[in-house]
Amino acid sequence: ATGPGGAVAWAQEADILVVGSGAAALSAAVAAVNEGASVILVEKGPVHGGTSTKSEGGMWVPNNRFLRANGKSDDREDALRYMARCARPHMYRRDAPFFGMPEPEYRLMEAFYDNASGTFEFLEKVGALRTTQILQLPDYYEGPENKVPLGRQIMTQKPDGDYGLGVELVRQLKSWLDDRKVPCLLKHRARTILRNGQGEVVGLEVATSGDRMVRLRARKAVIFGTGGFAHNKAMMRNFQPAPIYGTCSVPTSEGDFLIMAQAVDAKLGNLNNAWRMQVVMEHTLDQPSVPKGIWQPPGDSMVIVNKYGARVVNEKHNYHDRSKVHFAWDANREEYPNQFLFMIYDRRVADLFAGNFPLPAAGAAASYVIQGDSPAALTAAIQARLDRHAGTWGDVRLDRGFAAGLVDTLSAFDRYAATGVDAQFSRGAFQWDRDWQSYTSIPREGTAWKTGEAPSATMHPFQSEGPYHAIILGSGVLDTNGGPVINPKAQILDTSDVPIPGLYGAGNCISSPAGQSYWGGGCTLGLAMTYGHLAGMNAASERVKSDADVQLPIAG
Ligand SMILES: Cc1cc2nc3c(=O)[nH]c(=O)nc-3n(C[C@H](O)[C@H](O)[C@H](O)COP(=O)(O)OP(=O)(O)OC[C@H]3O[C@@H](n4cnc5c(N)ncnc54)[C@H](O)[C@@H]3O)c2cc1C
């Protein structure tokens, strides 16, 4: 349908409409405004900042200025090899062109490496973001391809010199835009991408708080930074590889861009991937957005077992890769044996590490903690809890051998703890396991229990006396990272791989260059802000487009 006489009554207009107000969108807006473009931010939620505000604020930036200042080389080819090895491990070939990856995917990683450090130096130079590196944590894969396992993560620097989290990251970027009077329309949900007679993107149809539709014109381009689809149940069921139970993304991450982009023939990718983590299952019962995921389960006399009472993973492994263990499929039994996992710990851990999430603080109770005086009693209590939630989770039954399996598991684990060598899953053998342990397992002040008695800080034999505790864990995501495919300029491609004129994207709403991986802490924000920057720069250099013959939605 075409508007009367081809003319559209625009409610507002700017050179560039930036949709969303998280890290990707804010980075795009800063770049575009600095280039002299006028920008309007269009935000669906009642507040700005998106999931970026909830984040820890780490940003993964290869070859960053701190590495260089410390004389550490983060060689381009080595870094790209590492990224390729992690993003597409099944295609990786050390000596093949593009390391065996499809060329377009490789080019996206290349553009990330080439522009990441420059993006953050730009933000620093224009006064939009200050960064520091006083907190360093190792990358998530320690294989031989990673030549710089420590030092790629940077943080926002607060005015007092300390490092800040996502709140501070968003505050600094947004303040810069506020100082330049860039409007941010809250409770404005982009619904339809509008194109002119030549198929160029020239604006948006947007639902305002009262579901009133307004049309906003973009003279040059529209940039999407609208987050993932973790709160869209149908998309999660259809695109993700196995059941996902929780997300700590903001509730507005509903995949709106996916729907709009399909209407303009965008190519889609990476829908089966996400930034993964484990969630406390009982947190997911009454809230769509869980407060937290489990970065690393705290404690040393602690294991995670499946419905057979067997360990299935290095419990201290990074959250993204550890969570994928939930997806295992048992073809003979036609079941997901790890659909739910059970974090089991003893009375020592309950007290010594009290307050480290998800362990309740000393003296406090958490309704999701299950207790039993013996492995058999704990087994019965877990089953009773599963039965209580059967209406929501389906019939989940522990195997009849669970209690015996758990006893065997604990006695094997006690032997590993005594020697410091986990013969099953190498827990504690990785730098990541040990470094994160010091952040996620902080001994409670005043506890009578001791640490440092066992050879590995990550393992300790279980107490022979109860009570024992269990927490039910499920698979979750920070947010998804699949959507329309971009090119190295952050332009959205159509199904013939041709850029859709005037349409850009960055962050969790697009098909992530990271593929199935999480290269290191801050990977999601590093990518979002770098590609946001590229989108802002390239959008600002577009020519002004005609708004004649705009194709309006039928209802319009
Ligand atoms: C607890 C936690 C800690 C984390 N820590 C880190 C970390 O340290 N480092 C890291 O790299 N990542 C971290 N992450 C992940 C990171 O927060 C996200 O991947 C990142 O913030 C995504 O940024 P974004 O700009 O793509 O999306 P978001 O920040 O989610 O912003 C998207 C915005 O778009 C808006 N929107 C959606 N649809 C529409 C629409 N139709 N119209 C208008 N607006 C719309 C949303 O309301 C939202 O405000 C963490 C996540 C969580 C939950």
Side-chain angles (χ1 to χ4, degrees), residues 18-27 41-60 140 153-155 165-166 169-170 185-192 204-207 224-228 247-257 260 275 277 289-293 295 319 436 477-481 506-510 518 520-529:
V18 175
V19 195
S21 62
L26 295 175
S27 176
L41 289 161
V42 181
E43 168 55 50
K44 171 178 168 183
V47 290
H48 67 264
T51 304
S52 303
T53 305
K54 289 181 76 179
S55 78
E56 302 284 318
M59 299 163 289
W60 197 78
Y140 294 180
Q153 187 185 324
I154 65 174
M155 305 287 293
L165 307 182
L169 166 70
V170 168
L185 310 178
L186 297 176
K187 297 189 189 169
H188 277 61
R189 180 180 192 175
R191 284 292 203 177
T192 310
L204 291 170
E205 193 160 68
V206 175
F224 276 83
T226 44
T247 172
C248 51
S249 62
V250 287
T252 43
S253 295
E254 294 173 291
D256 292 357
F257 186 36
M260 285 181 264
W275 311 115
M277 58 154 189
S289 195
V290 299
K292 272 182 172 194
W295 300 124
Y319 44 93
W436 277 70
V477 296
L478 298 173
D479 201 352
T480 57
N481 58 8
N508 290 345
C509 69
I510 53 122
Y518 205 125
C523 166
T524 97
L525 288 169
L527 277 167
M529 293 174 70

Side-chain angles (χ1 to χ4, degrees), residues 422-444:
D422 172 8
Q424 240 185 323
F425 296 111
S426 303
R427 169 162 149 182
F430 302 92
Q431 190 70 36
W432 200 95
D433 303 4
R434 299 188 296 272
D435 283 7
W436 277 70
Q437 171 94 0
S438 58
Y439 290 101
T440 60
S441 300
I442 299 168
R444 176 177 78 79

Side-chain angles (χ1 to χ4, degrees), residues 13-16 27-40 122 126 176-177 180 182 219-220 533 535-542 544:
E13 62 179 75
D15 291 333
I16 297 170
S27 176
V30 170
V33 168
N34 192 64
E35 287 296 296
S38 63
V39 168
I40 299 175
F122 159 83
V126 300
W176 191 93
L177 294 166
R180 284 150 189 84
V182 175
R219 285 186 291 263
K220 292 185 169 183
H533 179 76
M537 296 296 286
N538 290 313
S541 71
E542 290 231 4
V544 172

